[in-house]
Amino acid sequence: MPKVLVTGGLGFIGSNFVRRALSARPSWTIVDLDKRTYAGNPANVADLPRSRHRWIKGDICDPKTVDKAMRGCELVVHFAAETHVDRSIHDASAFLRTNVVGTQVLLDAALRLGVRRFLHVSTDEVYGSVPKGFSREGDRLEPNSPYAASKAASDLLVRSYFVTHKAPVLTTRASNNYGPYQYPEKALPLMITNFMEDKPFPMYGDGRQVRDWLHAADHARAILTVLEKGALGEVYNIGGSYTCQNRELIERVLKLMGKPRSLVVPVEDRKGHDRRYALDCGKLLKLGFKHEYDFDKGLRETIAWYRDNERWWRPLKKAGGYRSYYKTQYKGRRPQGVV
Ligand code: NAD
Ligand code: DAU
């Protein structure tokens, strides 16, 4: 009965991973260490069997809590992080604390407690903007936002624990995830839920930024592949099955939802906005991974999920914290022209 520690399992990707792992690995039990920040939501895991999934409310920066949660676990999958680029532009402090110090606390505990494999979940944003070609795992890290810089720092820390302490670590770097349970501050769920309410979606800058879209269920399957088959000390890119400009994504969503283009309002660009991300996933494919989701199916299902689960997202958008975040977010961000 392998016992597995997942950090950040109440979040978007973490909860998708826990759900997938419990069904794909019937012998696993999962301890889920999550602080329940604004992005951590017990409703994301409410349907999971308590006998195999136990949530401990706690901070990954607290060594005592981490020791208690990790004791007896042979595998660790580390998702917990501050994740929203725009928030990191307003205030980077929580990003440095959780993403860097939290990762260090977990790595120290993993060494102390003799964890067999520790997978650190990271992002393609650590490579920075890639005007052409594809980022490979050995490429230089050139993070441009405070969020990306904090993730790059955590990646380097993981690497150093492998070199210095022979820690049994693996790192994955994934592209933009989409799917159910994504907090409605990120572009796709914000767009879908705003369109459902006939509210505008603020398109940053010219909308020609390129993102690569990975379904969270495929991300979960890729993490299982790397966790079980990856070589210790290595980094694996996890890309999606579809790449497009934000403009194209918006057009697709408008069409699928039958909404007018007038709901798209171009606004001032995000500071330091990365123009393009693109991953070379050759290393992952060599481990035998294949995507299950094509983007068209994934996008239709995702829109349907938000349609069917208003009771999940409406309270999140009504909460005081969400509203005050949006006030700060759009203060001084003027509408610019038409789409
Ligand atoms: P999320 O913001 O939806 O969830 C983060 C979770 O971490 C929340 O449940 C939150 O409560 C928890 N958390 C935050 N600080 C914590 C702390 N100090 N102690 C314990 N728990 C804490 O994030 P997500 O989008 O699901 O991302 C998960 C991971 O995947 C992150 O490491 C992120 O960098 C990475 N990633 C995300 C994407 C994406 O598109 N969302 C893409 C690539 C990589
Ligand atoms: O690439 C992986 C990363 O993807 C993860 O590491 C991050 O945690 C995750 O938040 C995501 O970062 P992005 O900045 O790419 O995602 P976001 O959903 O914030 O934005 C996607 C694109 O849409 C980006 O080019 C900015 C743009 N955008 C975003 C918002 C929120 C808009 O045009 N308007 C918006 O209101």
Side-chain angles (χ1 to χ4, degrees), residues 76-332:
V76 175
V77 186
H78 171 35
F79 294 95
E82 290 293 335
T83 61
H84 193 41
V85 173
D86 292 321
R87 287 183 190 255
S88 81
I89 295 168
H90 289 300
D91 182 359
S93 46
F95 288 75
L96 271 291
R97 186 177 175 277
T98 289
N99 300 3
V100 186
V101 177
T103 301
Q104 170 251 314
V105 169
L106 287 164
L107 286 166
D108 282 336
L111 283 177
R112 246 189 335 267
L113 297 169
V115 161
R116 193 163 61 76
R117 284 165 95 82
F118 180 113
L119 188 144
H120 169 62
V121 179
S122 190
T123 168
D124 60 1
E125 301 208 5
V126 297
Y127 297 116
S129 198
V130 194
K132 55 181 191 268
F134 297 88
S135 302
R136 300 185 67 179
E137 290 83 350
D139 287 358
R140 210 168 85 168
L141 304 189
E142 292 184 2
N144 291 319
S145 70
Y147 160 67
S150 70
K151 292 298 287 188
S154 67
D155 287 18
L156 295 179
L157 204 57
V158 169
R159 179 192 138 83
S160 78
Y161 272 63
F162 177 72
V163 175
T164 304
H165 300 296
K166 311 274 178 295
V169 289
L170 300 129
T171 297
T172 54
R173 295 188 182 135
S175 58
N176 281 65
N177 279 227
Y178 71 103
Y181 301 105
Q182 187 169 29
Y183 189 80
E185 66 185 349
K186 304 281 162 67
L188 196 50
L190 179 70
M191 196 184 299
I192 296 169
T193 57
N194 277 13
F195 290 165
M196 280 178 69
E197 296 179 298
D198 290 313
K199 286 185 180 156
F201 171 74
M203 182 183 80
Y204 297 168
D206 63 4
R208 300 213 177 273
Q209 304 81 9
V210 174
R211 294 293 184 269
D212 171 48
W213 294 96
L214 169 67
H215 196 283
D218 275 340
H219 190 184
R221 292 174 50 254
I223 285 175
L224 283 175
T225 303
V226 174
L227 182 66
E228 292 168 350
K229 296 189 189 160
L232 295 181
E234 292 292 317
V235 178
Y236 294 87
N237 288 340
I238 306 179
S241 53
Y242 193 73
T243 301
C244 65
Q245 293 187 347
N246 291 342
R247 272 175 177 268
E248 185 191 331
L249 177 70
I250 295 167
E251 289 291 340
R252 288 177 80 123
V253 175
L254 284 172
K255 198 165 165 212
L256 285 170
M257 296 184 69
K259 296 290 177 178
R261 202 177 276 172
S262 56
L263 285 179
V264 184
V265 177
V267 296
E268 275 175 80
D269 208 351
R270 175 186 274 173
K271 289 182 192 168
H273 199 170
D274 283 336
R275 206 66 186 157
R276 176 176 178 266
Y277 302 131
L279 291 174
D280 179 325
C281 298
K283 247 173 114 174
L284 174 70
L285 300 181
K286 275 194 193 141
L287 296 182
F289 174 78
K290 286 194 186 77
H291 292 95
E292 242 171 35
Y293 272 87
D294 77 59
F295 188 63
D296 191 52
K297 171 179 166 224
L299 186 59
R300 282 172 195 274
E301 279 186 21
T302 301
I303 292 172
W305 189 87
Y306 285 91
R307 272 209 183 109
D308 294 345
N309 289 278
E310 291 193 29
R311 283 209 327 216
W312 181 86
W313 59 263
R314 281 199 188 276
L316 298 177
K317 286 181 99 169
K318 273 207 187 101
Y322 186 91
R323 288 155 101 92
S324 62
Y325 164 69
Y326 269 95
K327 266 195 199 136
T328 333
Q329 171 67 357
Y330 296 114
K331 202 164 67 185

